[in-house]
Amino acid sequence: MRHEQIIAHLRRANDVARRSLSLGRHPFGAILVAPDGETVLAEQGNIDAVNHAESTLARAAATNFPPDYLWQCTLVTTVEPCAMCAGTQYWANIGRLVYGLSERQLLQLTGNHHENPTMDLPSRTVLASGQKTIAVIGPVPEVETEIFDVHRAFWKA
């Protein structure tokens, strides 16, 4: 995936996060990008504390696409996946991950918020614990402020 595509997909995922926010949900958004690096196969916003955008999208993808195809796909998400979401991506066999804002940056913003008790556990650590190598790109500085602004508005409200 070219860098311009990464930026465009992260902005689209942030639009999904804004849509989640408009529905009264936490502002997280994820998209699944096809092997061509251009086609968006699915979009998912956050649902609740156990149905995060990334894990919900990964489970739906695993139901609808064969593992060999998913291995060539990319999960693009606004914020670095938590341990649950990174694990779900791993088991769904989605071969690449792109995120805009790190989980540590989110933790610095939310602190010990009762609705988002963020773990300080990088997705790279979770994914590196497995037996297959999932490529990880992130954080992406060009979109960090855009994503951070959506979260700041929500978590400080």
Side-chain angles (χ1 to χ4, degrees), residues 35 90 138:
Y90 176 86

Side-chain angles (χ1 to χ4, degrees), residues 35-144:
D36 67 5
E38 194 65 38
T39 306
V40 175
L41 300 170
E43 296 182 340
Q44 182 65 56
N46 211 61
I47 298 171
D48 57 34
V50 295
N51 292 289
H52 295 179
E54 302 89 350
S55 60
T56 301
L57 182 125
R59 283 190 303 274
T63 301
N64 290 291
F65 298 101
D68 290 346
Y69 181 76
L70 287 175
W71 187 248
Q72 302 171 61
C73 292
T74 305
L75 176 65
V76 178
T77 183
T78 52
V79 178
E80 180 178 12
C82 70
M84 173 181 70
C85 293
T88 306
Q89 176 181 355
Y90 176 86
W91 289 107
N93 210 49
I94 300 170
R96 279 175 295 290
L97 168 64
V98 171
Y99 64 86
L101 191 69
S102 74
E103 190 170 29
R104 180 161 289 170
Q105 289 169 294
L106 179 66
L107 177 60
Q108 290 170 350
L109 175 65
T110 63
N112 189 21
H113 196 286
H114 69 280
E115 289 186 31
N116 194 52
T118 304
M119 301 173 87
D120 189 8
L121 180 59
S123 60
R124 281 180 173 87
T125 302
V126 174
L127 295 170
S129 299
Q131 297 181 47
K132 48 190 169 181
T133 303
I134 295 177
V136 179
I137 298 169
V140 178
E142 293 90 338
V143 296
E144 284 179 331

